[in-house]
Short mmCIF file of all heavy atoms in Angstrom, two decimals:
data_model
loop_
_atom_site.label_atom_id
_atom_site.label_comp_id
_atom_site.label_asym_id
_atom_site.label_seq_id
_atom_site.Cartn_x
_atom_site.Cartn_y
_atom_site.Cartn_z
N VAL A 1 9.53 5.19 7.13
CA VAL A 1 10.53 5.98 7.98
C VAL A 1 10.99 7.19 7.25
O VAL A 1 11.19 8.26 7.78
CB VAL A 1 11.69 5.08 8.41
CG1 VAL A 1 12.88 5.88 9.09
CG2 VAL A 1 11.24 3.99 9.51
N PHE A 2 11.29 7.03 5.93
CA PHE A 2 11.72 8.12 5.15
C PHE A 2 10.71 9.27 5.08
O PHE A 2 10.97 10.37 5.16
CB PHE A 2 12.05 7.79 3.70
CG PHE A 2 13.29 6.74 3.58
CD1 PHE A 2 13.39 5.85 2.48
CD2 PHE A 2 14.27 6.81 4.57
CE1 PHE A 2 14.44 5.02 2.46
CE2 PHE A 2 15.38 5.95 4.42
CZ PHE A 2 15.47 4.99 3.47
N LEU A 3 9.37 8.78 4.92
CA LEU A 3 8.33 9.83 4.95
C LEU A 3 8.26 10.53 6.27
O LEU A 3 8.00 11.66 6.32
CB LEU A 3 7.06 9.09 4.56
CG LEU A 3 6.77 8.72 3.17
CD1 LEU A 3 5.48 7.77 3.11
CD2 LEU A 3 6.68 9.81 2.25
N LEU A 4 8.47 9.81 7.46
CA LEU A 4 8.39 10.42 8.67
C LEU A 4 9.55 11.50 8.77
O LEU A 4 9.47 12.55 9.48
CB LEU A 4 8.43 9.50 9.83
CG LEU A 4 7.24 8.72 10.03
CD1 LEU A 4 7.45 7.57 11.03
CD2 LEU A 4 6.05 9.64 10.51
N MET A 5 10.78 11.11 8.17
CA MET A 5 11.87 11.95 8.36
C MET A 5 11.65 13.25 7.58
O MET A 5 12.41 14.31 7.76
CB MET A 5 13.17 11.26 7.73
CG MET A 5 13.59 10.26 8.72
SD MET A 5 15.06 9.48 8.07
CE MET A 5 15.79 8.74 9.56
N LEU A 6 10.75 13.36 6.61
CA LEU A 6 10.39 14.55 5.86
C LEU A 6 9.96 15.69 6.80
O LEU A 6 10.06 16.82 6.44
CB LEU A 6 9.37 14.29 4.76
CG LEU A 6 9.78 13.49 3.61
CD1 LEU A 6 8.61 13.25 2.71
CD2 LEU A 6 10.89 14.24 2.83
N PHE A 7 9.42 15.38 7.96
CA PHE A 7 8.92 16.24 8.94
C PHE A 7 10.06 16.88 9.85
O PHE A 7 9.81 17.75 10.56
CB PHE A 7 7.91 15.67 9.84
CG PHE A 7 6.66 15.30 9.08
CD1 PHE A 7 6.33 13.95 8.86
CD2 PHE A 7 5.84 16.15 8.54
CE1 PHE A 7 5.28 13.57 8.05
CE2 PHE A 7 4.62 15.96 7.85
CZ PHE A 7 4.30 14.64 7.60
N TYR A 8 11.25 16.42 9.72
CA TYR A 8 12.40 16.96 10.56
C TYR A 8 13.32 17.68 9.56
O TYR A 8 13.75 17.23 8.49
CB TYR A 8 13.08 15.78 11.17
CG TYR A 8 12.24 15.06 12.20
CD1 TYR A 8 11.70 13.88 11.83
CD2 TYR A 8 12.17 15.60 13.41
CE1 TYR A 8 10.90 13.13 12.77
CE2 TYR A 8 11.41 14.94 14.43
CZ TYR A 8 10.79 13.73 14.13
OH TYR A 8 10.07 13.05 15.05
N ASP A 9 13.65 18.92 9.89
CA ASP A 9 14.41 19.83 9.04
C ASP A 9 15.79 19.22 8.89
O ASP A 9 16.22 19.39 7.69
CB ASP A 9 14.59 21.18 9.67
CG ASP A 9 13.16 21.91 9.68
OD1 ASP A 9 12.33 21.61 8.81
OD2 ASP A 9 13.02 22.82 10.54
N SER A 10 16.40 18.51 9.84
CA SER A 10 17.69 18.17 9.61
C SER A 10 17.89 16.93 8.62
O SER A 10 18.90 16.72 8.09
CB SER A 10 18.34 17.78 10.95
OG SER A 10 17.57 16.78 11.58
N TYR A 11 16.75 16.22 8.42
CA TYR A 11 16.72 14.97 7.55
C TYR A 11 15.94 15.17 6.27
O TYR A 11 15.88 14.31 5.45
CB TYR A 11 16.22 13.77 8.29
CG TYR A 11 17.06 13.39 9.44
CD1 TYR A 11 16.45 13.43 10.77
CD2 TYR A 11 18.31 13.03 9.31
CE1 TYR A 11 17.20 13.01 11.85
CE2 TYR A 11 19.06 12.54 10.49
CZ TYR A 11 18.48 12.65 11.75
OH TYR A 11 19.13 12.22 12.82
N ARG A 12 15.28 16.35 6.14
CA ARG A 12 14.29 16.54 5.00
C ARG A 12 14.97 16.20 3.64
O ARG A 12 14.34 15.58 2.82
CB ARG A 12 13.67 17.91 5.06
CG ARG A 12 12.54 18.11 4.01
CD ARG A 12 11.83 19.38 4.19
NE ARG A 12 11.09 19.24 5.45
CZ ARG A 12 10.92 20.27 6.38
NH1 ARG A 12 11.45 21.37 6.15
NH2 ARG A 12 10.23 20.08 7.41
N TYR A 13 16.01 16.81 3.43
CA TYR A 13 16.70 16.77 1.97
C TYR A 13 17.06 15.23 1.80
O TYR A 13 16.85 14.74 0.74
CB TYR A 13 17.96 17.65 1.89
CG TYR A 13 18.67 17.46 0.60
CD1 TYR A 13 18.09 17.93 -0.50
CD2 TYR A 13 19.92 16.85 0.65
CE1 TYR A 13 18.85 17.83 -1.70
CE2 TYR A 13 20.52 16.61 -0.46
CZ TYR A 13 20.11 17.16 -1.69
OH TYR A 13 20.78 17.03 -2.84
N GLN A 14 17.74 14.61 2.79
CA GLN A 14 18.21 13.23 2.52
C GLN A 14 17.03 12.24 2.43
O GLN A 14 17.11 11.35 1.67
CB GLN A 14 19.10 12.87 3.71
CG GLN A 14 20.49 13.48 3.79
CD GLN A 14 20.35 14.80 4.67
OE1 GLN A 14 19.32 15.25 4.97
NE2 GLN A 14 21.51 15.27 5.05
N ALA A 15 16.04 12.50 3.27
CA ALA A 15 14.85 11.66 3.21
C ALA A 15 14.10 11.79 1.78
O ALA A 15 13.70 10.83 1.22
CB ALA A 15 13.89 11.93 4.31
N ALA A 16 13.93 12.99 1.34
CA ALA A 16 13.32 13.27 0.08
C ALA A 16 14.11 12.62 -1.09
O ALA A 16 13.61 11.92 -2.04
CB ALA A 16 13.14 14.73 -0.28
N LEU A 17 15.51 12.60 -0.99
CA LEU A 17 16.30 12.04 -2.03
C LEU A 17 16.19 10.46 -1.94
O LEU A 17 16.19 9.82 -2.89
CB LEU A 17 17.70 12.45 -1.74
CG LEU A 17 18.74 11.96 -2.79
CD1 LEU A 17 18.40 12.58 -4.17
CD2 LEU A 17 20.17 12.48 -2.42
N ALA A 18 16.09 9.94 -0.64
CA ALA A 18 15.97 8.60 -0.51
C ALA A 18 14.66 8.08 -1.17
O ALA A 18 14.53 7.01 -1.81
CB ALA A 18 16.03 8.09 0.96
N ILE A 19 13.56 8.74 -0.88
CA ILE A 19 12.28 8.44 -1.41
C ILE A 19 12.30 8.47 -2.94
O ILE A 19 11.83 7.66 -3.69
CB ILE A 19 11.16 9.38 -0.83
CG1 ILE A 19 10.97 8.96 0.61
CG2 ILE A 19 9.79 9.22 -1.63
CD1 ILE A 19 10.06 9.95 1.34
N LEU A 20 12.96 9.62 -3.54
CA LEU A 20 13.04 9.78 -4.98
C LEU A 20 13.79 8.52 -5.59
O LEU A 20 13.39 7.94 -6.54
CB LEU A 20 13.71 11.00 -5.23
CG LEU A 20 13.90 11.36 -6.76
CD1 LEU A 20 12.54 11.58 -7.41
CD2 LEU A 20 14.76 12.55 -7.00
N LEU A 21 15.00 8.21 -5.01
CA LEU A 21 15.79 7.10 -5.53
C LEU A 21 15.04 5.80 -5.50
O LEU A 21 15.11 4.96 -6.47
CB LEU A 21 17.14 6.99 -4.78
CG LEU A 21 18.25 8.01 -4.96
CD1 LEU A 21 19.38 7.86 -4.09
CD2 LEU A 21 18.60 7.96 -6.44
N THR A 22 14.39 5.55 -4.39
CA THR A 22 13.57 4.36 -4.22
C THR A 22 12.49 4.32 -5.28
O THR A 22 12.30 3.25 -5.91
CB THR A 22 13.07 4.21 -2.78
OG1 THR A 22 14.17 4.29 -1.84
CG2 THR A 22 12.35 2.82 -2.57
N GLY A 23 11.81 5.43 -5.34
CA GLY A 23 10.71 5.47 -6.38
C GLY A 23 11.21 5.26 -7.79
O GLY A 23 10.55 4.56 -8.51
N ILE A 24 12.33 5.91 -8.15
CA ILE A 24 12.84 5.66 -9.51
C ILE A 24 13.22 4.21 -9.79
O ILE A 24 12.81 3.73 -10.85
CB ILE A 24 14.10 6.62 -9.75
CG1 ILE A 24 13.58 8.07 -9.75
CG2 ILE A 24 14.79 6.28 -10.99
CD1 ILE A 24 14.66 9.15 -9.82
N TYR A 25 13.88 3.69 -8.80
CA TYR A 25 14.31 2.28 -9.03
C TYR A 25 13.03 1.41 -9.12
O TYR A 25 12.97 0.47 -9.93
CB TYR A 25 15.16 1.83 -7.81
CG TYR A 25 15.54 0.36 -7.89
CD1 TYR A 25 16.45 -0.12 -8.88
CD2 TYR A 25 14.81 -0.64 -7.24
CE1 TYR A 25 16.67 -1.43 -9.10
CE2 TYR A 25 15.15 -2.00 -7.46
CZ TYR A 25 16.02 -2.33 -8.43
OH TYR A 25 16.33 -3.69 -8.55
N LEU A 26 11.98 1.50 -8.23
CA LEU A 26 10.83 0.80 -8.38
C LEU A 26 10.13 0.84 -9.75
O LEU A 26 9.63 0.01 -10.23
CB LEU A 26 9.99 1.03 -7.11
CG LEU A 26 10.41 0.60 -5.81
CD1 LEU A 26 9.43 1.12 -4.72
CD2 LEU A 26 10.54 -0.88 -5.77
N ALA A 27 10.08 2.17 -10.19
CA ALA A 27 9.47 2.37 -11.45
C ALA A 27 10.13 1.70 -12.64
O ALA A 27 9.50 1.06 -13.46
CB ALA A 27 9.39 3.91 -11.66
N ILE A 28 11.39 1.81 -12.64
CA ILE A 28 12.28 1.08 -13.65
C ILE A 28 12.09 -0.37 -13.55
O ILE A 28 11.85 -1.09 -14.62
CB ILE A 28 13.75 1.53 -13.55
CG1 ILE A 28 13.88 2.97 -13.95
CG2 ILE A 28 14.66 0.66 -14.34
CD1 ILE A 28 15.28 3.48 -13.62
N ARG A 29 12.19 -0.91 -12.32
CA ARG A 29 12.01 -2.34 -12.09
C ARG A 29 10.67 -2.82 -12.45
O ARG A 29 10.43 -3.92 -13.26
CB ARG A 29 12.28 -2.74 -10.71
CG ARG A 29 12.47 -4.05 -10.36
CD ARG A 29 13.85 -4.50 -10.78
NE ARG A 29 13.94 -5.86 -10.62
CZ ARG A 29 14.55 -6.73 -11.52
NH1 ARG A 29 15.18 -6.20 -12.57
NH2 ARG A 29 14.54 -7.97 -11.37
N PHE A 30 9.61 -2.13 -12.14
CA PHE A 30 8.25 -2.48 -12.53
C PHE A 30 8.05 -2.45 -14.02
O PHE A 30 7.37 -3.29 -14.55
CB PHE A 30 7.23 -1.55 -11.76
CG PHE A 30 5.90 -2.00 -11.88
CD1 PHE A 30 5.41 -3.14 -11.18
CD2 PHE A 30 4.91 -1.37 -12.67
CE1 PHE A 30 4.14 -3.58 -11.21
CE2 PHE A 30 3.65 -1.82 -12.75
CZ PHE A 30 3.18 -2.95 -12.00
N TYR A 31 8.60 -1.47 -14.69
CA TYR A 31 8.59 -1.32 -16.15
C TYR A 31 9.16 -2.56 -16.91
O TYR A 31 8.59 -3.19 -17.72
CB TYR A 31 9.24 -0.10 -16.62
CG TYR A 31 9.39 -0.02 -18.15
CD1 TYR A 31 8.31 0.37 -18.93
CD2 TYR A 31 10.62 -0.29 -18.78
CE1 TYR A 31 8.44 0.41 -20.32
CE2 TYR A 31 10.77 -0.21 -20.11
CZ TYR A 31 9.75 0.20 -20.92
OH TYR A 31 9.87 0.21 -22.24
N PHE A 32 10.41 -2.89 -16.45
CA PHE A 32 11.02 -4.12 -17.03
C PHE A 32 10.26 -5.41 -16.70
O PHE A 32 10.23 -6.27 -17.57
CB PHE A 32 12.50 -4.18 -16.53
CG PHE A 32 13.40 -3.36 -17.34
CD1 PHE A 32 13.90 -2.16 -16.68
CD2 PHE A 32 13.67 -3.64 -18.64
CE1 PHE A 32 14.80 -1.36 -17.43
CE2 PHE A 32 14.59 -2.72 -19.38
CZ PHE A 32 15.07 -1.67 -18.86
N LEU A 33 9.70 -5.46 -15.56
CA LEU A 33 8.95 -6.71 -15.14
C LEU A 33 7.68 -6.83 -16.03
O LEU A 33 7.42 -7.86 -16.57
CB LEU A 33 8.56 -6.57 -13.68
CG LEU A 33 7.74 -7.82 -13.12
CD1 LEU A 33 8.60 -8.95 -13.15
CD2 LEU A 33 7.22 -7.50 -11.84
N LYS A 34 6.94 -5.79 -16.25
CA LYS A 34 5.78 -5.81 -17.04
C LYS A 34 6.03 -5.96 -18.51
O LYS A 34 5.38 -6.69 -19.20
CB LYS A 34 4.92 -4.54 -16.78
CG LYS A 34 4.12 -4.50 -15.49
CD LYS A 34 3.28 -5.64 -15.33
CE LYS A 34 2.52 -5.63 -14.09
NZ LYS A 34 1.70 -6.76 -13.78
N LYS A 35 6.96 -5.22 -19.02
CA LYS A 35 7.28 -5.24 -20.47
C LYS A 35 8.00 -6.48 -20.89
O LYS A 35 7.62 -7.05 -21.98
CB LYS A 35 8.03 -4.02 -20.84
CG LYS A 35 8.25 -3.98 -22.41
CD LYS A 35 8.59 -2.54 -22.88
CE LYS A 35 8.70 -2.59 -24.37
NZ LYS A 35 8.72 -1.29 -24.95
N TYR A 36 9.00 -6.83 -20.23
CA TYR A 36 9.90 -7.95 -20.64
C TYR A 36 9.69 -9.21 -19.76
O TYR A 36 10.40 -10.18 -20.14
CB TYR A 36 11.35 -7.64 -20.73
CG TYR A 36 11.59 -6.29 -21.53
CD1 TYR A 36 11.90 -5.09 -20.95
CD2 TYR A 36 11.53 -6.45 -22.88
CE1 TYR A 36 12.15 -4.02 -21.76
CE2 TYR A 36 11.74 -5.36 -23.78
CZ TYR A 36 12.05 -4.16 -23.20
OH TYR A 36 12.25 -3.02 -23.93
N HIS A 37 8.89 -9.24 -18.81
CA HIS A 37 8.75 -10.34 -17.84
C HIS A 37 10.12 -10.85 -17.40
O HIS A 37 10.48 -12.00 -17.36
CB HIS A 37 7.99 -11.46 -18.54
CG HIS A 37 6.67 -11.10 -19.01
ND1 HIS A 37 5.52 -10.80 -18.16
CD2 HIS A 37 6.18 -10.85 -20.28
CE1 HIS A 37 4.50 -10.51 -18.81
NE2 HIS A 37 4.87 -10.46 -20.12
N GLN A 38 10.91 -9.78 -16.92
CA GLN A 38 12.34 -10.09 -16.68
C GLN A 38 12.44 -9.88 -15.13
O GLN A 38 12.20 -8.88 -14.64
CB GLN A 38 13.13 -9.11 -17.37
CG GLN A 38 14.61 -9.23 -17.25
CD GLN A 38 15.29 -8.18 -18.10
OE1 GLN A 38 14.72 -7.42 -18.88
NE2 GLN A 38 16.60 -8.23 -18.19
N GLY A 39 13.06 -10.88 -14.44
CA GLY A 39 13.55 -10.69 -13.11
C GLY A 39 12.33 -10.83 -12.04
O GLY A 39 11.23 -11.19 -12.35
N ASN A 40 12.70 -10.62 -10.90
CA ASN A 40 11.75 -10.71 -9.77
C ASN A 40 11.38 -9.33 -9.21
O ASN A 40 12.22 -8.38 -9.36
CB ASN A 40 12.38 -11.52 -8.57
CG ASN A 40 12.77 -12.93 -9.08
OD1 ASN A 40 11.98 -13.54 -9.70
ND2 ASN A 40 13.94 -13.35 -8.61
N PHE A 41 10.31 -9.17 -8.55
CA PHE A 41 9.92 -7.93 -7.98
C PHE A 41 9.46 -8.19 -6.55
O PHE A 41 8.52 -8.99 -6.23
CB PHE A 41 8.75 -7.19 -8.79
CG PHE A 41 8.44 -5.96 -8.25
CD1 PHE A 41 9.27 -4.88 -8.69
CD2 PHE A 41 7.35 -5.63 -7.42
CE1 PHE A 41 9.07 -3.58 -8.32
CE2 PHE A 41 7.14 -4.38 -7.02
CZ PHE A 41 7.89 -3.45 -7.46
N PRO A 42 10.05 -7.65 -5.55
CA PRO A 42 11.38 -6.91 -5.56
C PRO A 42 12.58 -7.83 -5.65
O PRO A 42 12.44 -8.94 -5.22
CB PRO A 42 11.30 -6.12 -4.23
CG PRO A 42 10.57 -7.04 -3.40
CD PRO A 42 9.49 -7.70 -4.20
N ASP A 43 13.67 -7.23 -6.04
CA ASP A 43 14.89 -8.02 -6.04
C ASP A 43 15.82 -7.54 -5.02
O ASP A 43 15.59 -6.53 -4.30
CB ASP A 43 15.47 -8.02 -7.51
CG ASP A 43 15.93 -6.56 -7.89
OD1 ASP A 43 15.53 -5.68 -7.27
OD2 ASP A 43 16.76 -6.57 -8.81
#
């Protein structure tokens, strides 16, 4: 849904920010999961 919202001018900035935040969180979570075997994915 966030990717689809990128095509609408009124939601483009917020949707891009949502994708960025989600991506950063997933990258951090995946890093800790692989390196330290810590927690669940997704949590």
Side-chain angles (χ1 to χ4, degrees):
V1 170
F2 295 151
L3 287 171
L4 287 174
M5 288 180 160
L6 288 175
F7 295 108
Y8 296 97
D9 290 334
S10 58
Y11 298 117
R12 185 170 292 140
Y13 175 73
Q14 293 93 342
L17 187 61
I19 292 170
L20 180 67
L21 286 174
T22 305
I24 289 171
Y25 177 76
L26 289 175
I28 292 170
R29 194 75 188 143
F30 192 70
Y31 171 76
F32 280 107
L33 180 69
K34 287 297 183 186
K35 184 164 183 160
Y36 302 110
H37 302 288
Q38 181 180 5
N40 300 320
F41 188 78
D43 66 342

